[in-house]
Amino acid sequence: MFKLTQALKFALPFLAVTSVYAASSALEIQARANDSAQCVVQATPILSFTSSQWIWTSELTSPDGSAPIGSRAFRKTFLSPQGKTPSFLTIGFASDDEATLWVNGNAIVTQVGWENPGSYCVSLENCDCGFLIAFNATNTGGQAGLLVDAVVTYTDGSTSPIVSDSSWRTTTGGIPNGFQQSTFDDSAWETAETEGGNGVAPWGHVQPAGAAPQSLATSQWIWTNEPSPGSYPIGARALRYTMTLPPGHTSGTATVMIVVDDQYSLYINGRFIGTGTNYITPQKYVAAFQGPKVVLAVYGENVGAASNPAGLLASIQVTSQDNLSYCSNCNSVTYAITDNSWKAFPGPVPSGFEQPGFDDSAWPQAFEVGPNGVSPWNTIAPPTTVTTGGTPLPGAPAGSA
Ligand SMILES: *[C@@H]1O[C@H](CO)[C@@H](O)[C@H](O)[C@H]1NC(C)=O
Ligand SMILES: *[C@@H]1O[C@H](CO)[C@@H](O)[C@H](O)[C@H]1NC(C)=O
Ligand SMILES: *[C@@H]1O[C@H](CO)[C@@H](O)[C@H](O)[C@H]1NC(C)=O
């Protein structure tokens, strides 16, 4: 088991837009939305993993549940009861070590690690009475498992649960081509082996984003990969994190908790959000944004007369909406922390770095200085009040309007 810190990387939207939305025009969707007799508007269910089992293939070995390194396919075909029309699917999953989710052949999201699972809403408006959930789950060593909790909401407001259990189909040895398509025949596959419910070792209790209050508990202090992490050169550095939302999720709200040793200005999708100037007092911001991406950019400054500790500690929770849902707000909730999935530029701040279109592909990964609580910082508690207003630090970009 490799205990990867949480990182989220979403499937490229172009993989998914092709067929989920193909059958309905925006006008048709709007017409259905206007026809209130067609559905009872439903809130997005809160997931819990309470009835879910960790599952894997029959390749698990006793006593510790380790499995061969590699990717395995998992499939669950769901048929709705007669007379029920699915409206949307709310689904969350945790995977040791990572997994990509497909619904009816459309890539929805790739999640790395199991500690901070998201909760994803997938519109099912064109899928008739049945649909297919498929995973490519990858074990990079040691124990392996996949834990899934989902709820299908029908147009009449009623729901059905779907959880990972021994009814799921899987196969040993590798992943056949086309495994994620509804037309693929999995009748010769084995059924999944169960490894215990939520809370079982080695994973412990898993909670989906949105079910627990946001905090900084699992965040890492990060900075650049410059030498001597305990004593960085003074001056400003640029750090960036990009979250691509699930397909069709084009707007939402981001809640950011953030502190920098020594001070920072924060930007979301190029817009200035706020400035903090105390290295142990975090701030909390709530900002609306337009998707399909959320780019956090931090102008972080290490001040002093000589080299000294520097770091950025943050968490971000994003709630976004499917643009075509008509029987609900179809919310997805995703959670990310500061870790080495951020990018950090080890030199003077490049001009325009705060803009979402800026190309950071050549930047190195951020360096993880240590978890919240590591010396020389005290444990940083989550801020409770929302900060508004402020101006960029001297030298920091103004940001777009
Ligand atoms: C849906 O309702 C809105 C607001 O009443 C209206 O502007 C729009 O034209 C309607 N769309 C359709 C396709 O009926
Ligand atoms: C499954 O996921 C792994 C890890 O991301 C990737 O290397 C592999 O190509 C994927 N396989 C398929 C068939 O999607
Ligand atoms: C909804 O999102 C999809 C996928 O990003 C996009 O192709 C489509 O144009 C969007 N529709 C509307 C009405 O915004």
Side-chain angles (χ1 to χ4, degrees):
M1 177 186 77
F2 287 172
K3 194 167 187 304
L4 296 183
T5 52
Q6 166 71 5
L8 286 173
K9 64 178 186 221
F10 289 95
L12 295 172
F14 73 82
L15 288 173
V17 292
T18 44
S19 60
V20 171
Y21 301 101
S24 293
S25 70
L27 253 181
E28 283 168 338
I29 296 290
Q30 207 187 38
R32 281 192 273 176
N34 284 2
D35 180 2
S36 58
Q38 269 204 31
C39 62
V40 178
V41 174
Q42 273 295 106
T44 307
I46 302 284
L47 304 175
S48 70
F49 297 112
T50 304
S51 306
S52 314
Q53 291 280 318
W54 285 94
I55 58 172
W56 202 254
T57 68
S58 60
E59 294 158 296
L60 291 171
T61 57
S62 47
D64 70 340
S66 60
I69 290 174
S71 299
R72 298 292 180 265
F74 295 84
R75 288 172 50 105
K76 174 70 182 177
T77 302
F78 183 82
L79 293 179
S80 311
Q82 217 171 9
K84 299 279 185 185
T85 306
S87 172
F88 62 94
L89 176 72
T90 311
I91 181 166
F93 62 97
S95 175
D96 182 353
D97 294 277
E98 67 171 88
T100 301
L101 163 68
W102 309 72
V103 176
N104 286 341
N106 298 290
I108 305 299
V109 61
T110 297
Q111 232 180 227
V112 180
W114 69 89
E115 296 91 341
N116 296 308
S119 165
Y120 307 100
C121 180
V122 182
S123 178
L124 294 175
E125 274 137 32
N126 307 307
C127 84
D128 302 326
C129 66
F131 55 90
L132 170 73
I133 298 169
F135 283 96
N136 165 9
T138 302
N139 182 30
T140 58
Q143 282 115 331
L146 174 67
L147 183 76
V148 187
D149 188 15
V151 175
V152 49
T153 301
Y154 303 106
T155 50
D156 65 4
S158 61
T159 59
S160 294
I162 303 172
V163 296
S164 48
D165 59 20
S166 58
S167 72
W168 287 52
R169 296 269 179 183
T170 185
T171 185
T172 58
I175 297 194
N177 279 341
F179 77 98
Q180 72 275 43
Q181 302 300 334
S182 312
T183 49
F184 184 92
D185 179 8
D186 64 13
S187 58
W189 284 17
E190 63 182 25
T191 51
E193 298 221 344
T194 59
E195 303 175 80
N198 189 16
V200 77
W203 303 291
H205 189 68
V206 174
Q207 275 200 109
Q214 186 177 352
S215 77
L216 293 164
T218 58
S219 304
Q220 297 277 328
W221 285 97
I222 59 169
W223 203 248
T224 66
N225 66 355
E226 290 166 272
S228 311
S231 183
Y232 281 108
I234 58 166
R237 294 290 180 260
L239 300 99
R240 284 172 52 102
Y241 178 78
T242 302
M243 183 188 270
T244 302
L245 298 171
H249 285 243
T250 49
S251 65
T253 305
T255 303
V256 180
M257 296 181 175
I258 178 172
V259 63
V260 166
D261 180 351
D262 292 275
Q263 53 187 19
Y264 70 87
S265 291
L266 168 70
Y267 306 80
I268 296 181
N269 287 354
R271 192 161 63 89
F272 171 73
I273 301 295
T275 287
T277 55
N278 183 314
Y279 77 108
I280 49 168
T281 306
Q283 282 76 43
K284 175 175 166 179
Y285 303 99
V286 178
F289 63 85
Q290 294 299 312
K293 286 183 181 177
V294 187
V295 178
L296 265 75
V298 177
Y299 177 96
E301 195 166 10
N302 189 23
V303 300
S307 296
N308 68 90
L312 159 66
L313 184 81
S315 70
I316 171 173
Q317 182 161 305
V318 168
T319 302
S320 58
Q321 288 84 37
D322 184 295
N323 65 359
L324 293 186
S325 65
Y326 65 104
C327 284
S328 82
N329 31 22
C330 202
N331 285 334
S332 286
V333 187
T334 52
Y335 190 66
I337 56 172
T338 38
D339 64 13
N340 62 10
S341 64
W342 284 60
K343 297 291 192 80
F345 189 70
V349 172
S351 168
F353 87 97
E354 81 285 4
Q355 292 303 319
F358 182 92
D359 181 8
D360 64 14
S361 57
W363 287 19
Q365 288 182 312
F367 178 82
E368 293 181 356
V369 180
N372 187 4
V374 76
S375 174
W377 301 289
N378 298 321
T379 298
I380 308 288
T384 50
T385 57
V386 174
T387 300
T388 54
T391 51
L393 290 169
S400 41

